[in-house]
Amino acid sequence: FCMKIISWNVNSIRAMVSFFEKHPADIYCFQETKLNKEQVEPALHSIPGFESFWSFSTVKKGYSGVVTYAKTGSTVDAFDGFGVPLFDNEGRIMITDHDSFVLFNIYFPNSGMGPERFKYKMDFYRKFEEVCDMW
């Protein structure tokens, strides 16, 4: 069994529809989509043959965001976040269960905004490790 997974920090997903045709894969993970739920056009939400699983920022418009596209029927379950609002509200996490493996599509925070943001980043990493240990 061979599966192709593509992951890419796209820095805005608005012009990505043609990418799927040019680069066939079983799963696509995009980070930094920079869309709110109401901005997702039907062409981006419904790629033929794929299900899409989105995580949106609830704290800032046009900030972060991730999406996982998986071939229809290949995903058993999906989780938008770690279950911790402090981390989940930035739209950085989509976890998909594919029965034989679990995929973490995460846009990890940087710490370039000072000591508070560094603490946030390190706490985020610790929580990620905890969640990984649960699987």
Side-chain angles (χ1 to χ4, degrees):
F1 176 67
C2 183
M3 178 177 283
K4 185 175 182 179
I5 300 173
I6 294 175
S7 181
W8 185 11
N9 181 320
V10 293
N11 193 22
S12 183
I13 196 169
R14 288 180 172 90
M16 292 299 298
V17 175
S18 65
F19 181 84
F20 295 91
E21 295 168 5
K22 293 177 185 173
H23 305 280
D26 300 290
I27 299 175
Y28 301 88
C29 300
F30 297 123
Q31 304 84 37
E32 219 174 347
T33 58
K34 296 188 175 186
L35 294 176
N36 299 324
K37 192 173 189 171
E38 59 276 358
Q39 293 176 305
V40 178
E41 298 173 16
L44 280 175
H45 186 271
S46 301
I47 303 295
F50 288 85
E51 296 174 279
S52 62
F53 304 94
W54 296 80
S55 182
F56 304 99
S57 173
T58 59
V59 293
K60 265 194 227 177
K61 245 183 155 175
Y63 183 70
S64 60
V66 297
V67 61
T68 299
Y69 292 94
K71 282 197 173 174
T72 303
S74 69
T75 306
V76 176
D77 210 347
F79 307 91
D80 176 9
F82 293 149
V84 178
L86 175 67
F87 302 128
D88 300 347
N89 64 11
E90 289 192 7
R92 295 179 172 276
I93 307 151
M94 179 51 64
I95 304 167
T96 49
D97 182 350
H98 300 270
D99 196 30
S100 59
F101 69 95
V102 174
L103 180 66
F104 293 84
N105 181 8
I106 299 179
Y107 175 44
F108 286 90
N110 71 39
S111 57
M113 297 182 209
E116 291 141 17
R117 198 61 183 174
F118 179 75
K119 180 183 180 330
Y120 176 87
K121 174 183 177 175
M122 298 313 295
D123 291 345
F124 187 98
Y125 277 53
R126 279 189 279 282
K127 185 60 183 178
F128 172 63
E129 288 177 341
E130 280 178 34
V131 172
C132 286
D133 287 344
M134 293 184 335
W135 294 96

mmCIF file of all heavy atoms in Angstrom, residues 43-67:
data_model
loop_
_atom_site.group_PDB
_atom_site.id
_atom_site.type_symbol
_atom_site.label_atom_id
_atom_site.label_comp_id
_atom_site.label_asym_id
_atom_site.label_seq_id
_atom_site.Cartn_x
_atom_site.Cartn_y
_atom_site.Cartn_z
ATOM 1 N N ALA A 43 -15.421 26.000 -4.648
ATOM 2 C CA ALA A 43 -14.357 25.315 -5.393
ATOM 3 C C ALA A 43 -13.241 24.831 -4.462
ATOM 4 O O ALA A 43 -12.596 23.827 -4.737
ATOM 5 C CB ALA A 43 -13.778 26.239 -6.456
ATOM 6 N N LEU A 44 -13.023 25.529 -3.358
ATOM 7 C CA LEU A 44 -12.001 25.110 -2.388
ATOM 8 C C LEU A 44 -12.551 24.111 -1.376
ATOM 9 O O LEU A 44 -11.831 23.281 -0.858
ATOM 10 C CB LEU A 44 -11.447 26.319 -1.635
ATOM 11 C CG LEU A 44 -10.409 27.146 -2.350
ATOM 12 C CD1 LEU A 44 -10.045 28.378 -1.529
ATOM 13 C CD2 LEU A 44 -9.161 26.323 -2.622
ATOM 14 N N HIS A 45 -13.820 24.228 -1.086
ATOM 15 C CA HIS A 45 -14.422 23.339 -0.088
ATOM 16 C C HIS A 45 -14.681 21.952 -0.668
ATOM 17 O O HIS A 45 -14.495 20.946 0.007
ATOM 18 C CB HIS A 45 -15.731 23.933 0.433
ATOM 19 C CG HIS A 45 -16.315 23.144 1.556
ATOM 20 N ND1 HIS A 45 -17.175 22.096 1.355
ATOM 21 C CD2 HIS A 45 -16.106 23.221 2.884
ATOM 22 C CE1 HIS A 45 -17.501 21.570 2.520
ATOM 23 N NE2 HIS A 45 -16.860 22.240 3.466
ATOM 24 N N SER A 46 -15.084 21.892 -1.909
ATOM 25 C CA SER A 46 -15.509 20.629 -2.522
ATOM 26 C C SER A 46 -14.642 20.253 -3.712
ATOM 27 O O SER A 46 -15.051 20.404 -4.862
ATOM 28 C CB SER A 46 -16.974 20.733 -2.960
ATOM 29 O OG SER A 46 -17.789 21.023 -1.852
ATOM 30 N N ILE A 47 -13.458 19.763 -3.450
ATOM 31 C CA ILE A 47 -12.584 19.254 -4.503
ATOM 32 C C ILE A 47 -13.096 17.858 -4.862
ATOM 33 O O ILE A 47 -13.230 17.007 -3.967
ATOM 34 C CB ILE A 47 -11.116 19.183 -4.027
ATOM 35 C CG1 ILE A 47 -10.632 20.546 -3.547
ATOM 36 C CG2 ILE A 47 -10.212 18.604 -5.101
ATOM 37 C CD1 ILE A 47 -10.547 21.628 -4.585
ATOM 38 N N PRO A 48 -13.428 17.587 -6.122
ATOM 39 C CA PRO A 48 -13.985 16.277 -6.487
ATOM 40 C C PRO A 48 -13.107 15.108 -6.020
ATOM 41 O O PRO A 48 -11.902 15.093 -6.242
ATOM 42 C CB PRO A 48 -14.053 16.331 -8.015
ATOM 43 C CG PRO A 48 -14.139 17.795 -8.339
ATOM 44 C CD PRO A 48 -13.308 18.473 -7.274
ATOM 45 N N GLY A 49 -13.746 14.162 -5.322
ATOM 46 C CA GLY A 49 -13.051 12.980 -4.835
ATOM 47 C C GLY A 49 -12.386 13.139 -3.479
ATOM 48 O O GLY A 49 -11.753 12.214 -2.986
ATOM 49 N N PHE A 50 -12.544 14.331 -2.861
ATOM 50 C CA PHE A 50 -11.901 14.614 -1.580
ATOM 51 C C PHE A 50 -12.887 15.177 -0.567
ATOM 52 O O PHE A 50 -13.860 15.843 -0.923
ATOM 53 C CB PHE A 50 -10.756 15.628 -1.756
ATOM 54 C CG PHE A 50 -9.567 15.063 -2.450
ATOM 55 C CD1 PHE A 50 -9.498 15.034 -3.834
ATOM 56 C CD2 PHE A 50 -8.504 14.538 -1.725
ATOM 57 C CE1 PHE A 50 -8.400 14.496 -4.488
ATOM 58 C CE2 PHE A 50 -7.396 13.995 -2.371
ATOM 59 C CZ PHE A 50 -7.351 13.975 -3.752
ATOM 60 N N GLU A 51 -12.599 14.909 0.700
ATOM 61 C CA GLU A 51 -13.280 15.573 1.806
ATOM 62 C C GLU A 51 -12.314 16.613 2.337
ATOM 63 O O GLU A 51 -11.101 16.396 2.327
ATOM 64 C CB GLU A 51 -13.600 14.577 2.920
ATOM 65 C CG GLU A 51 -14.579 13.492 2.501
ATOM 66 C CD GLU A 51 -14.743 12.451 3.599
ATOM 67 O OE1 GLU A 51 -13.874 11.561 3.683
ATOM 68 O OE2 GLU A 51 -15.721 12.546 4.356
ATOM 69 N N SER A 52 -12.841 17.742 2.801
ATOM 70 C CA SER A 52 -11.963 18.768 3.357
ATOM 71 C C SER A 52 -12.277 18.967 4.838
ATOM 72 O O SER A 52 -13.431 18.934 5.250
ATOM 73 C CB SER A 52 -12.097 20.092 2.598
ATOM 74 O OG SER A 52 -13.400 20.609 2.692
ATOM 75 N N PHE A 53 -11.213 19.172 5.611
ATOM 76 C CA PHE A 53 -11.312 19.351 7.053
ATOM 77 C C PHE A 53 -10.550 20.627 7.413
ATOM 78 O O PHE A 53 -9.329 20.679 7.250
ATOM 79 C CB PHE A 53 -10.727 18.133 7.780
ATOM 80 C CG PHE A 53 -11.373 16.844 7.362
ATOM 81 C CD1 PHE A 53 -10.808 16.072 6.349
ATOM 82 C CD2 PHE A 53 -12.545 16.410 7.960
ATOM 83 C CE1 PHE A 53 -11.395 14.886 5.945
ATOM 84 C CE2 PHE A 53 -13.147 15.226 7.551
ATOM 85 C CZ PHE A 53 -12.581 14.464 6.545
ATOM 86 N N TRP A 54 -11.286 21.627 7.880
ATOM 87 C CA TRP A 54 -10.739 22.968 8.074
ATOM 88 C C TRP A 54 -10.617 23.327 9.543
ATOM 89 O O TRP A 54 -11.440 22.928 10.363
ATOM 90 C CB TRP A 54 -11.658 24.000 7.416
ATOM 91 C CG TRP A 54 -11.758 23.881 5.934
ATOM 92 C CD1 TRP A 54 -12.524 23.001 5.218
ATOM 93 C CD2 TRP A 54 -11.077 24.663 4.964
ATOM 94 N NE1 TRP A 54 -12.355 23.194 3.883
ATOM 95 C CE2 TRP A 54 -11.476 24.213 3.692
ATOM 96 C CE3 TRP A 54 -10.165 25.719 5.055
ATOM 97 C CZ2 TRP A 54 -10.992 24.772 2.519
ATOM 98 C CZ3 TRP A 54 -9.683 26.277 3.882
ATOM 99 C CH2 TRP A 54 -10.093 25.806 2.625
ATOM 100 N N SER A 55 -9.624 24.139 9.850
ATOM 101 C CA SER A 55 -9.500 24.788 11.148
ATOM 102 C C SER A 55 -9.265 26.270 10.893
ATOM 103 O O SER A 55 -8.351 26.641 10.153
ATOM 104 C CB SER A 55 -8.338 24.187 11.948
ATOM 105 O OG SER A 55 -8.249 24.795 13.215
ATOM 106 N N PHE A 56 -10.113 27.101 11.478
ATOM 107 C CA PHE A 56 -10.071 28.545 11.242
ATOM 108 C C PHE A 56 -9.702 29.288 12.520
ATOM 109 O O PHE A 56 -10.081 28.879 13.617
ATOM 110 C CB PHE A 56 -11.445 29.062 10.788
ATOM 111 C CG PHE A 56 -11.982 28.384 9.572
ATOM 112 C CD1 PHE A 56 -12.922 27.368 9.680
ATOM 113 C CD2 PHE A 56 -11.561 28.758 8.309
ATOM 114 C CE1 PHE A 56 -13.432 26.735 8.562
ATOM 115 C CE2 PHE A 56 -12.068 28.126 7.174
ATOM 116 C CZ PHE A 56 -13.005 27.119 7.306
ATOM 117 N N SER A 57 -9.026 30.408 12.366
ATOM 118 C CA SER A 57 -8.753 31.274 13.507
ATOM 119 C C SER A 57 -10.051 31.948 13.938
ATOM 120 O O SER A 57 -10.808 32.453 13.103
ATOM 121 C CB SER A 57 -7.725 32.348 13.140
ATOM 122 O OG SER A 57 -7.597 33.275 14.197
ATOM 123 N N THR A 58 -10.294 31.954 15.231
ATOM 124 C CA THR A 58 -11.461 32.669 15.765
ATOM 125 C C THR A 58 -11.035 33.951 16.470
ATOM 126 O O THR A 58 -11.876 34.668 16.990
ATOM 127 C CB THR A 58 -12.249 31.779 16.747
ATOM 128 O OG1 THR A 58 -11.393 31.388 17.822
ATOM 129 C CG2 THR A 58 -12.807 30.549 16.052
ATOM 130 N N VAL A 59 -9.726 34.239 16.478
ATOM 131 C CA VAL A 59 -9.232 35.429 17.165
ATOM 132 C C VAL A 59 -8.844 36.562 16.225
ATOM 133 O O VAL A 59 -8.838 37.713 16.621
ATOM 134 C CB VAL A 59 -8.035 35.104 18.102
ATOM 135 C CG1 VAL A 59 -8.476 34.240 19.252
ATOM 136 C CG2 VAL A 59 -6.897 34.459 17.364
ATOM 137 N N LYS A 60 -8.508 36.227 14.974
ATOM 138 C CA LYS A 60 -8.099 37.235 14.000
ATOM 139 C C LYS A 60 -8.578 36.833 12.621
ATOM 140 O O LYS A 60 -8.399 35.697 12.206
ATOM 141 C CB LYS A 60 -6.570 37.332 13.934
ATOM 142 C CG LYS A 60 -5.939 38.375 14.784
ATOM 143 C CD LYS A 60 -4.492 38.548 14.342
ATOM 144 C CE LYS A 60 -3.573 38.556 15.530
ATOM 145 N NZ LYS A 60 -2.171 38.652 15.145
ATOM 146 N N LYS A 61 -9.158 37.778 11.907
ATOM 147 C CA LYS A 61 -9.570 37.518 10.528
ATOM 148 C C LYS A 61 -8.351 37.375 9.629
ATOM 149 O O LYS A 61 -7.394 38.130 9.741
ATOM 150 C CB LYS A 61 -10.418 38.692 10.027
ATOM 151 C CG LYS A 61 -11.827 38.337 9.736
ATOM 152 C CD LYS A 61 -12.579 39.514 9.191
ATOM 153 C CE LYS A 61 -13.715 38.957 8.392
ATOM 154 N NZ LYS A 61 -14.620 39.918 7.872
ATOM 155 N N GLY A 62 -8.381 36.373 8.739
ATOM 156 C CA GLY A 62 -7.293 36.199 7.787
ATOM 157 C C GLY A 62 -5.986 35.765 8.418
ATOM 158 O O GLY A 62 -4.912 36.053 7.900
ATOM 159 N N TYR A 63 -6.079 35.050 9.556
ATOM 160 C CA TYR A 63 -4.882 34.652 10.308
ATOM 161 C C TYR A 63 -4.760 33.139 10.337
ATOM 162 O O TYR A 63 -5.761 32.433 10.510
ATOM 163 C CB TYR A 63 -5.001 35.200 11.736
ATOM 164 C CG TYR A 63 -3.824 34.936 12.633
ATOM 165 C CD1 TYR A 63 -2.610 35.575 12.423
ATOM 166 C CD2 TYR A 63 -3.942 34.074 13.717
ATOM 167 C CE1 TYR A 63 -1.530 35.353 13.259
ATOM 168 C CE2 TYR A 63 -2.861 33.854 14.568
ATOM 169 C CZ TYR A 63 -1.670 34.495 14.336
ATOM 170 O OH TYR A 63 -0.604 34.271 15.161
ATOM 171 N N SER A 64 -3.597 32.644 10.164
ATOM 172 C CA SER A 64 -3.238 31.216 10.223
ATOM 173 C C SER A 64 -4.248 30.353 9.468
ATOM 174 O O SER A 64 -4.550 30.622 8.329
ATOM 175 C CB SER A 64 -3.008 30.758 11.662
ATOM 176 O OG SER A 64 -4.132 30.912 12.467
ATOM 177 N N GLY A 65 -4.748 29.288 10.069
ATOM 178 C CA GLY A 65 -5.690 28.383 9.427
ATOM 179 C C GLY A 65 -4.993 27.223 8.736
ATOM 180 O O GLY A 65 -3.909 27.381 8.165
ATOM 181 N N VAL A 66 -5.614 26.044 8.837
ATOM 182 C CA VAL A 66 -5.103 24.854 8.156
ATOM 183 C C VAL A 66 -6.270 24.099 7.531
ATOM 184 O O VAL A 66 -7.409 24.215 7.975
ATOM 185 C CB VAL A 66 -4.307 23.910 9.099
ATOM 186 C CG1 VAL A 66 -3.072 24.600 9.647
ATOM 187 C CG2 VAL A 66 -5.169 23.384 10.216
ATOM 188 N N VAL A 67 -5.956 23.315 6.512
ATOM 189 C CA VAL A 67 -6.955 22.445 5.900
ATOM 190 C C VAL A 67 -6.270 21.147 5.478
ATOM 191 O O VAL A 67 -5.133 21.162 5.016
ATOM 192 C CB VAL A 67 -7.662 23.100 4.694
ATOM 193 C CG1 VAL A 67 -6.691 23.459 3.580
ATOM 194 C CG2 VAL A 67 -8.791 22.209 4.164
#
